[in-house]
């Protein structure tokens, strides 16, 4: 699974004073992991960890794990939760997000859900104080004073239909090349050094910024940790409108192009998803909700991939966090299957759901405490599918299986026929990858750990369809194993493979490569892992030829961390290419531009710094992480900075640079 969504990645946990490229003490790491998982799951390991010196009351630990620190069992909200909420959220009830999903929400977003959102009926009879106590028990303190926003003046709120979307989806184009051509932006390798900060927007009450900015109609549209979606004026950063989704929106906003103006009664619509598995459609001229639907009923389902729009339908990838409760021996592991949900773009109604694993899970055995083991399970889809209009296909990558036996659709690239709504072919690159949190090295009770025990090397990013440089298109896919693959889009045949990075459950390639012509840029994280060789880690940026897989150049990541806490030099976030360069945000907070020809650094800026936002507040950047990436339009460059989750540097800014006059 991608490194920013799954607590199992904490097998790479670091001490707060960690120095990059130095091995973490295994005893400390083991204790640390036990504490973290116990806090999240309420497992018996809490007592053992506490007896060995773990600080279970440290709010910073839980905040790093889930983005917020809740109260303990003595909190007054604990009893209310058990009486009013646990019956659904702790029982595996369909459509009710499991507690580990709820704990990814921000306090204010959860309170909004109870008071004004989809849970207001269930919370009837509770006082305002009791609702707040539930929230504070689960995820931490509610901020009662609403932060001020820099609202646009009335004459600066109008949607400009002459400015079509810069990108219709996450990958800039349908092939997910993540390349912004010169026809869209004037920023290139020759003038990127002339960029200067024009404005900075701070996400209120947030410690991470991982929703990919989408640009259309003169505005930057972006989601946030609190569940608020913003339309920001692209020139000034003022707020045109806000929409409250009710849960974190970590996907970008998909904006189909339009062929008419408002006089022709055509709307500009944005489609996006939230972490509790709802898909949304809003009118981008006003922020008005058009529809909102629950995409998957599994209690651990989550939506991390930006939806794909094509011919009046939405294609939404479905993933999950079921690997977390699987650490509990009493949990029947596992029942989730990854999927592509096809929705009608007009009303959100389901057209069809194609599961990555065709067979529904059934009981295949009992674990050693007599609880059912279900299989096959897993193969979640974390990434936004690649669209091949000519061949009428979607291509996407899957993650690992959750239970034994492992099957053939995990850790694979899959082709889906759009017209027949069925899978064409599957190319599995890593077999026997079944894994869940019970497999973590320092978990004492490994009852639910599959016999395969990993290696947990998902495809966190979609493949790129490269059509340049040959009369035969090729799919290029990067995996957390550190390998990059060339695959025939026609029949799924493996054409080449190249081991670029060391790999690992936070290693290799995470969220997205980019391509310019037949050159593919491969970002490598290779985050420090206590169980893998640090000497073999190769964090940095690499360029390969799409058709041969041969390395063109490499640029190891500069190590700027020193003694900085939660700093790492590698590249986890997606990258973006422009004319003559590739833009990469590093986990050390640096945004760098590397040349297309040789990979030398053309420009760099440290975003792990303080800024004054358009609202007049002091805000700061941090690590770059998640599916977000820089996006260029005209003479402006926009990028999120901040990733306060799973031991990366927090931050809450969207920075807009412009070419100096």
């Amino acid at each position: 699974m991608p490194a920013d969504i799954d607590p199992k990645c904490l097998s790479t946990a670091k001490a707060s004073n960690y120095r990059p490229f130095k091995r973490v003490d295994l005893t400390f790491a083991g204790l640390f992991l036990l504490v973290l998982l116990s806090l999240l799951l309420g497992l018996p390991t809490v007592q053992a960890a506490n007896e060995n010196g773990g600080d279970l009351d440290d709010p910073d630990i839980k905040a790093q794990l889930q983005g917020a620190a809740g109260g303990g069992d003595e909190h007054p909200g604990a009893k209310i939760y058990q009486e009013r909420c646990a019956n659904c959220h702790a029982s595996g009830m369909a459509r009710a997000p499991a507690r580990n999903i709820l704990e990814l929400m921000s306090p204010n977003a959860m309170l909004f859900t109870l008071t004004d959102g989809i849970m207001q009926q269930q919370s009837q009879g509770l006082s305002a104080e009791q609702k707040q106590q539930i929230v504070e028990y689960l995820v931490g303190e509610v901020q009662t004073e609403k932060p001020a926003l820099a609202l646009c003046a009335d004459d600066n709120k109008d949607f400009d239909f002459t400015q079509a979307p810069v990108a219709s989806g996450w990958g800039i184009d349908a092939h997910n090349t993540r390349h912004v051509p010169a026809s869209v932006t004037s920023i290139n390798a020759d003038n990127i050094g002339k960029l200067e900060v024009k404005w900075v927007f701070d996400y209120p009450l947030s410690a991470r910024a991982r929703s990919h900015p989408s640009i259309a109609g003169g505005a930057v549209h972006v989601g946030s940790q609190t569940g608020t979606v913003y339309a920001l004026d692209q020139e000034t950063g003022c707020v045109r409108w806000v929409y409250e989704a009710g849960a974190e929106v970590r996907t970008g906003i998909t904006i189909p192009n339009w062929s008419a103006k408002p006089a022709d009664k055509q709307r500009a619509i944005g489609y996006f998803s939230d972490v509790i598995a709802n898909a949304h459609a809003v009118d981008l001229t006003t922020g008005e909700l058009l529809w909102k639907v629950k995409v998957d009923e599994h209690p651990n389902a989550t939506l991390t991939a930006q939806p794909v729009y094509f011919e009046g339908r939405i294609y939404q990838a479905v993933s999950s966090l079921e690997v977390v409760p699987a650490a509990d021996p009493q949990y029947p592991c596992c029942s989730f299957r990854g999927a592509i949900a096809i929705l009608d773009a007009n009303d959100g109604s389901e057209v069809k759901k194609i599961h990555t694993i065709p067979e529904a899970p059934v009981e295949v055995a009992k674990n050693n405490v007599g609880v059912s083991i279900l299989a096959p399970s897993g193969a979640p889809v974390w990434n936004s599918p690649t669209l091949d209009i000519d061949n009428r296909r979607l291509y996407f990558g899957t993650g690992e299986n959750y239970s034994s036996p492992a099957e053939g659709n995990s850790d694979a690239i899959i082709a889906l026929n759009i017209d027949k709504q069925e899978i064409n072919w599957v190319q599995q690159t890593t077999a026997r990858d079944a894994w869940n949190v019970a497999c973590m090295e320092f978990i004492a009770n490994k009852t639910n750990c599959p016999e395969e025990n990993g290696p947990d090397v998902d495809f966190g990013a979609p493949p790129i369809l490269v059509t340049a440089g040959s009369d035969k298109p090729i799919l290029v896919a990067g995996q957390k194993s550190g390998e990059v693959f060339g695959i025939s889009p026609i029949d799924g045949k493996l054409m080449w493979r190249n081991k670029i990075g060391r790999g690992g459950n936070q290693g290799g390639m995470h969220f997205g490569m980019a391509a310019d012509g037949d050159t593919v840029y491969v970002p490598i994280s290779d985050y420090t892992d206590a169980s893998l060789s640090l000497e073999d880690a190769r964090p940095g940026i690499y360029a390969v030829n799409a058709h041969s897989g041969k390395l063109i150049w490499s640029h190891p990541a500069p190590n700027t961390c020193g003694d900085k806490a939660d700093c790492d030099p590698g590249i986890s976030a997606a990258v973006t290419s422009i004319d003559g360069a590739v833009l990469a945000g590093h986990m050390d907070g640096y945004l760098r531009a590397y040349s297309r020809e040789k990979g030398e650094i053309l420009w760099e800026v440290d975003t792990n710094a303080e800024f004054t936002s358009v609202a007049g507040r002091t805000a700061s950047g941090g690590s770059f992480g998640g599916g977000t990436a820089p996006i260029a339009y005209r003479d402006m460059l926009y990028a999120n900075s901040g990733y306060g989750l799973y031991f990366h540097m927090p931050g809450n800014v969207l920075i807009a640079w412009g070419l100096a006059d």
Side-chain angles (χ1 to χ4, degrees):
M1 293 184 178
D4 80 328
I5 192 68
D6 185 355
K8 70 192 179 190
C9 70
L10 290 172
S11 62
T12 59
K14 299 181 294 184
S16 60
N17 292 321
Y18 163 76
R19 292 174 174 82
F21 301 117
K22 293 187 179 180
R23 183 173 297 278
V24 180
D25 179 77
L26 295 184
T27 302
F28 175 81
L31 174 60
F32 205 52
L33 292 169
L34 289 173
V35 173
L36 288 168
L37 285 170
S38 300
L39 284 167
L40 183 64
L41 300 171
L43 297 179
T45 50
V46 168
Q47 182 178 358
N50 196 36
E51 290 173 353
N52 284 283
D55 183 4
L56 303 185
D57 297 319
D58 185 351
D60 291 336
I61 292 178
K62 197 168 185 182
Q64 281 280 12
L65 179 61
Q66 60 200 48
D73 290 339
E74 301 303 315
H75 192 282
K79 182 179 179 182
I80 307 171
Y81 171 81
Q82 292 298 327
E83 293 175 349
R84 295 293 297 267
C85 311
N87 188 49
C88 294
H89 293 289
S91 66
M93 180 178 290
R95 302 182 67 84
R99 178 169 173 173
N100 58 289
I101 295 289
L102 294 178
E103 288 176 334
L104 286 169
M105 298 178 68
S106 72
N108 283 58
M110 184 177 289
L111 184 62
F112 173 84
T113 300
L114 289 171
T115 56
D116 300 298
I118 60 174
M119 294 302 294
Q120 55 182 315
Q121 181 177 350
Q122 287 80 358
S123 64
Q124 285 182 355
L126 294 176
S127 67
E129 181 183 16
Q130 288 174 316
K131 294 174 186 177
Q132 185 164 325
Q133 287 172 341
I134 292 174
V135 172
E136 292 181 346
Y137 163 64
L138 289 172
V139 292
E141 184 179 355
V142 174
Q143 301 295 320
T144 55
E145 185 175 344
K146 196 170 184 179
L149 297 175
L151 301 177
C152 296
D154 290 341
D155 60 356
N156 199 25
K157 291 183 177 180
D158 292 339
F159 193 89
D160 182 1
F161 274 84
T162 67
Q163 295 195 52
V166 173
S168 59
W170 177 85
I172 311 299
D173 55 30
H175 294 172
N176 277 340
T177 66
R178 299 210 44 77
H179 178 71
V180 184
S183 59
V184 172
T185 181
S186 57
I187 301 172
N188 54 48
D190 294 329
N191 62 21
I192 195 166
K194 297 179 180 179
L195 288 176
E196 57 185 26
V197 175
K198 294 294 186 181
W199 54 263
V200 174
F201 176 79
D202 68 302
Y203 297 97
L205 311 177
S206 299
R208 56 183 181 264
R210 54 179 178 168
S211 169
H212 197 303
S214 300
I215 304 171
V220 180
H221 305 87
V222 66
S224 69
Q225 179 185 348
T226 64
T228 305
V229 176
Y230 300 92
L232 308 174
D233 180 78
Q234 67 189 30
E235 297 293 336
T236 67
C238 66
V239 178
R240 291 184 174 182
W241 53 256
V242 299
Y243 165 76
E244 300 293 346
E248 181 176 5
V249 175
R250 59 168 285 189
T251 75
I253 316 300
T254 295
I255 308 173
N257 210 338
W258 50 80
S259 58
K261 293 185 179 180
D264 300 312
K265 298 182 180 179
Q266 181 155 333
R267 286 178 124 164
I269 301 176
Y271 302 93
F272 53 90
S273 309
D274 64 39
V275 297
I276 58 174
N278 295 305
H280 306 247
V282 300
D283 186 323
L284 295 184
T285 64
T286 63
E288 172 193 359
L289 175 65
L290 301 178
W291 54 257
K292 176 180 178 179
V293 298
K294 187 79 169 177
V295 174
D296 194 285
E297 295 188 357
H298 195 282
N300 277 279
T302 188
L303 305 181
T304 62
Q306 186 168 328
V308 172
Y309 174 90
F310 183 60
E311 294 182 344
R313 290 181 173 173
I314 296 297
Y315 296 84
Q316 176 64 61
V318 184
S319 52
S320 89
L321 290 180
E322 195 182 19
V323 288
V324 179
D328 183 352
Q330 296 298 323
Y331 184 82
C333 175
C334 282
S335 56
F336 173 82
R337 292 179 293 161
I340 299 294
I342 306 175
L343 310 176
D344 188 311
N346 292 316
D347 57 14
S349 59
E350 184 177 299
V351 176
K352 189 172 182 179
K353 183 177 290 181
I354 297 100
H355 286 97
T356 55
I357 302 173
E359 307 85 9
V362 296
E363 182 179 297
V364 295
K366 299 278 190 183
N367 68 19
N368 60 19
V369 295
V371 177
S372 296
I373 297 174
L374 308 174
S377 65
V381 186
W382 300 101
N383 45 82
S384 185
T386 301
L387 177 60
D388 183 350
I389 297 174
D390 292 339
N391 290 305
R392 310 287 294 178
R393 289 176 178 166
L394 288 175
Y395 309 105
F396 54 90
T398 63
E400 86 278 29
N401 292 126
Y402 297 166
S403 54
S404 291
E407 49 76 63
N409 287 13
S410 61
D411 289 1
I413 299 299
I414 295 179
L416 175 67
N417 185 293
I418 292 173
D419 298 317
K420 294 182 179 180
Q421 298 177 357
E422 63 184 23
I423 291 176
N424 275 139
W425 53 256
V426 177
Q427 173 57 251
Q428 185 180 55
T429 59
T430 303
R432 292 185 55 78
D433 188 3
W435 199 98
N436 64 56
V437 168
C439 299
M440 293 181 72
E441 184 176 355
F442 299 100
I443 293 293
N445 192 331
K446 291 182 168 54
T447 293
N448 276 342
C449 177
E451 64 179 24
E452 295 89 347
N453 191 7
D456 177 29
V457 287
D458 317 53
F459 281 101
I464 296 174
L465 180 60
V466 177
T467 58
S470 172
D471 58 354
K472 294 182 179 180
I474 192 163
L475 286 168
V476 182
Q479 192 175 354
K480 282 170 54 182
S481 62
E483 286 190 282
V484 185
F485 306 89
I487 300 169
S488 167
I490 303 304
D491 56 11
K493 181 180 179 181
L494 185 62
M495 308 303 292
W496 57 261
R497 64 195 303 166
N498 189 352
K499 179 80 167 175
I500 300 292
R502 177 205 62 199
N505 69 355
Q506 272 207 98
M509 212 286 299
H510 288 176
F511 289 102
M513 305 180 297
D516 182 0
D518 59 358
T519 296
V520 176
Y521 302 107
V522 183
I524 294 293
S525 165
D526 278 6
Y527 188 87
T528 298
D529 191 310
S531 62
L532 297 176
S533 169
L534 297 181
E535 290 75 18
D536 293 336
R538 297 192 290 274
I541 187 81
Y542 299 79
V544 300
N545 179 272
H547 299 285
S548 68
K550 292 182 178 179
L551 186 67
I552 300 171
W553 53 256
S554 63
H555 195 126
N559 181 10
T560 65
C561 289
D563 293 330
K564 192 180 297 183
D566 300 322
C567 181
D568 196 270
I571 308 171
S572 175
V575 298
T576 304
S577 73
I578 57 174
D579 187 16
V582 59
L583 300 166
H586 292 243
M587 288 183 283
D588 62 3
Y590 272 84
L591 177 60
R592 297 183 173 96
Y594 297 86
S595 78
R596 183 186 194 277
E597 299 303 321
K598 297 182 179 180
E600 66 264 29
I601 296 175
L602 303 174
W603 172 76
E604 64 179 358
V605 58
D606 185 3
T607 68
N608 182 219
E610 289 190 346
F611 301 89
T612 300
S613 74
V614 293
R617 288 184 289 268
T618 298
S620 64
S623 298
F624 287 86
T628 186
I631 181 73
Y633 178 54
R634 295 183 173 177
D635 63 349
M636 298 285 287
L637 176 68
Y638 308 89
N640 283 315
S641 177
Y643 202 52
L645 194 69
Y646 307 141
F647 301 93
H648 299 299
M649 298 187 297
N652 66 329
V653 295
L654 171 64
I655 307 172
W657 293 269
L659 292 175
D661 294 336

